[in-house]
Amino acid sequence: MNAPHESVEALRQRRARPLSPSDTPLVWLVAAAVVGLLVGHGGAGAALAPMTWAIVGLVLLGVWAVAWRRGGEAWSAALLLASAACVAAGWTSANQRLFPDDDLGRYAQRLGEPVAIEAIAIDSPTQYAAPEPSPYRAIPANARWVTPVRVVALRDSARWRPIRGRCLVSVVGDAAAVERGDRLRVYGQLRRPSPALNPGQWDAADTARRDRRLAGVWTNHAAAVEVLDRRSAVVAPASLFARVRGAAQRALEDHLSPRSAALANAMLLGVSGGVPDELVEAFRRSGAVHTLVVSGLHVGIVASLGAVAALVGLVSRRGGLLLGVALAIAYAALVGADPPALRATAMVLVLAVAAYTGRASLAVNGLAAAALFVFVIGPGEWLALGTQVSFLATAVLLAFGVAWAKWAYRERPPLERLVARTRPLPQRAMRRVAGVAITTAAASAAVLLVAGPLLAERFHLLTPGAVLAAPLIALTLPTTLYAGGLLCVVDVLLLAAPDMVRTTATALPALVCEGSLNALAEGVSRVADTPWSWTAAAGMGEWRLAMLYAWLAGAGAAGLYARGVWPAWWRMGLVGVAIGFLPTLLPNEQDALHAEVIAVGHGCATLLQAPDGTTVLVDAGSLGGPDRAADVIARALWARGVTRLDAVVVSHPDVDHFNALPGLMERFPIGAVWCSHRMFDSVIDDADRSAPAALWRLLRSAGVPVRELQSGDRIRLGRGAGDDSGDDAGDSITITVLHPDDLGVIGSDNANSLVLGVEHAGRRLLLAGDLESPGLEQVLSQEPYDCDVLLAPHHGSPRSNPPGFARWSTPEWVVISSGGPTTASADDYRAEGVKVLNTFQRGAVSVRMDDSGARVAGFLPLQASDR
């Protein structure tokens, strides 16, 4: 006899009841693993060996077994979670610290050294297009391709030595015909990934280590990569999927326009790099950049084909769920089975099980199970921003779905239901479409509210325009995936058919896919061009961000287990907001000049902060790309709490001293630009495409005033700021222009570089720009300028006469802003009794000057060469 069905009211009451902790054991395991991850990655426990953590975990597990047998549920649960935390800490530490003795990375240095390796391609190459030409780019950039490899041999003199390790091979030029499983021989430069050199900067070395890579190989010649053996010809699951993906990529390129093919390859197959930079920037600013990579959204859309099949009656509900899971697994294998795809597939699997059973506790446990699966395959994935945002978004959407379901299926008055049923069909359809659009926008807003602070802290970008882009993505992305997938399937199946047959069969899906991609690109570009759709953001700061997400975690726990504590928890949140932002309301009582020489490679950027918060940036550029230079400098400024630049000084018209300025103007309000009379020509015609001319037009269009400086000018910053010929007083700082005069010298731009003396509390900082002869001799002929800290002229070049300049300025410290070690000039300064710091070795160099003296420190720890 069948059991009676549960009444609707009883069902509502059961779903309204909060869960107990025993209903969600995997959630607590994830919490314990998070603690272990933090301890094993960077906490004090990182000093312990992974085996030590494993032993401690096993001991605690044994104690748990005893406590569990004796019936102490609370104690046994605590011991089990402590054991899980220890195991997680050991696994995290082992993943980041234990590498083979013969790993290729053990031979790598930050400066490139010649190397010859043999390796197995882990995946097909990713092509990156050349950046758009720019007058602000000192060195033209070319297209390049990158492929991950597993190293098997290293050339050692005349023999090949077996070796292990993973690395990325980066080659200038168009992608070679390399496929997964091919054995390659590569000649290039072996380098170790650079650590973060500035506060707030992305740490390439830490990211690579989390991915089990300690080195990379770069080469500027495509001929330096030779395919030795086509092992991909062997039919293996991984190679088979790689070949299918290659065929699908060629199908998209054959039947779509170049821009649409690049977008389709990124969205369908995870083959990034071919999308134009300006379009990537539009997706980023509109909050739609997640559509350009294969994420949980893409896998979910593919899996939803199972639900569609069940809806139209092709399969049963159970069959639809099984079909969806099978499609998700196949799709993950097709795009390379990388961690994001595996993560999304695991989430689809567990959420499908939750949908089948209809149990909320299983949905929460399922999400936790997916998180644990990701942690097991690679604990470093939890530290990746994509993983964090993915799980945050999924959790928010689950909560949003529950709230929306309660509202959508609420009891409505009979008259309201009757009116809804009697509306005309077109009106009902329009209301249904509007409802879907509003629901999609509301879900996007919910995700943005929760994940926005994390994105602002990492990307320094807030994108309220994502709410507008969400309905467009909800319409075009599934269309693109379905039409593009059908196009690939038909083209691959008809590979041996005549071209006319293939073209005819793929015409409709190609047309639909092209139209969908064009609509998405156009809509995203329009959203990005809307003034309020995005804004640069400094972020909350690490500790405020930690407080926010700790509170959100508590709010989630209260929603699951104890909904009665919601009012008290909200009041606690308001108190936390007050505590978090109280320091910003307190007056700044410091009486010190803070200066920071930002590490930008071969270039220069020095931040000056007066005691009252007035900020001046002296130079802003690098020989590298202007976008990267602007990003590095902006992150360093935000990390120091800078949200406005009162002035930017450009010492001379070399792009490595100002090419970041256009990017900084997008992120910070700039009060003025100060420069010498040699910076801009007196007349700039429209045909002048030089970098100074482009900057002049940009400053004029933005309404940023430009002031020319010359020797003898004195500018006071801080309280009572303004031009002043007297000594600096109180907590102000004085900038004195030492060179050039109104005539300058006959010579290069470097010879006419601005030389600034910065003074506060009787202490001096000397900023010499790129000064060299004959301007160098003119400065040395003046009265000596005794200083505490000197920013070495011309990045420490020997042409700047290090011994003579050191004797003239008598600094205690010399800072060299350079992209290399500059050993010779550093030795010259040390010979004069000066302590030297190089930004290449020590990262950003901070200087604090007050009545007690000048204190200088590097961002990175002291190295033996600096002692």
Side-chain angles (χ1 to χ4, degrees), residues 61 127 183 231 358 372 393 414 439 494 497 521 547 627 653 668 675 746 777:
L61 190 62
Q127 178 74 53
R183 186 182 180 96
R231 294 190 177 182
L372 290 173
T439 302
L494 298 178
M547 286 180 58
D627 294 335
F668 300 90
C675 59
I746 300 176
E777 284 73 24

Side-chain angles (χ1 to χ4, degrees), residues 788-791 811-815 834-837 854-856:
D788 297 271
V789 182
L790 164 68
L791 179 60
E812 180 182 357
W813 293 87
V814 167
V815 180
V834 181
K835 290 175 280 190
V836 180
L837 293 181
R855 289 173 290 284
V856 182

Side-chain angles (χ1 to χ4, degrees), residues 19 23-31 33-34 296 342-355 357 359-376 382 386-400 402 450 556 560:
L19 303 174
D23 293 326
T24 56
L26 295 184
V27 173
W28 293 93
L29 280 178
V30 167
V34 168
L342 291 177
R343 176 183 70 232
T345 303
M347 292 168 65
V348 167
L349 175 61
V350 295
L351 293 179
V353 176
T357 60
R359 295 177 57 188
S361 62
L362 187 56
V364 176
N365 278 316
L367 187 61
L372 290 173
F373 172 76
V374 171
F375 181 76
V376 170
W382 272 14
T387 303
Q388 296 169 3
V389 173
S390 177
F391 279 107
L392 269 178
T394 304
V396 171
L397 291 176
L398 282 175
F400 180 85
V402 171
V450 175
L560 287 175

Side-chain angles (χ1 to χ4, degrees), residues 667-715:
R667 297 167 171 87
F668 300 90
I670 295 178
V673 169
W674 301 341
C675 59
S676 75
H677 66 281
R678 296 287 296 269
M679 179 65 197
F680 303 112
D681 294 334
S682 58
V683 177
I684 297 177
D685 58 49
D686 293 337
D688 190 346
R689 292 293 180 261
S690 66
L695 180 62
W696 168 256
R697 296 188 191 97
L698 180 63
L699 294 174
R700 184 175 58 183
S701 64
V704 178
V706 177
R707 174 182 174 180
E708 293 184 351
L709 304 179
Q710 63 183 26
S711 60
D713 289 346
R714 291 169 66 87
I715 303 171

